[in-house]
Amino acid sequence: MKSENVQPEDLKWRCDRCQCDLVVGPVTVEYMTNHFTTDLPYCPRCKTVLISEVVATGKMAEVEQILEDK
Ligand SMILES: [Zn+2]
């Protein structure tokens, strides 16, 4: 299984609501009762965070690693 950061192809995504190009930046998400900040693609206009299955899988693996290290 791959556990990589956001890839260039992720940036091709557009917001469904306002057709903005997504930007990648720090976004606070919640996972297993923990809040953490990570870089994810989001819409700069309506703040919708796009988490694809691939990105989510990679990010969740990263987060689990972070949590295990605590
Ligand atoms: Zn939008």
Side-chain angles (χ1 to χ4, degrees):
M1 188 185 355
K2 286 188 178 180
S3 157
E4 295 176 331
N5 287 317
V6 176
Q7 298 298 302
E9 49 266 34
D10 293 338
L11 302 177
K12 292 176 187 168
W13 296 327
R14 285 185 173 232
C15 178
D16 288 338
R17 294 186 204 175
C18 41
Q19 302 302 309
C20 281
D21 288 329
L22 299 179
V23 298
V24 174
V27 175
T28 302
V29 293
E30 187 177 345
Y31 178 67
M32 288 173 61
T33 74
N34 289 279
H35 287 82
F36 61 95
T37 303
T38 187
D39 288 342
L40 287 172
Y42 70 94
C43 173
R45 194 174 297 178
C46 66
K47 309 299 183 190
T48 297
V49 178
L50 180 69
I51 307 181
S52 76
E53 199 172 327
V54 172
V55 172
T57 302
K59 285 296 174 187
M60 289 307 113
E62 253 179 54
V63 170
E64 282 169 4
Q65 194 65 51
I66 290 167
L67 296 178
E68 280 171 13
D69 288 348
K70 272 184 185 171

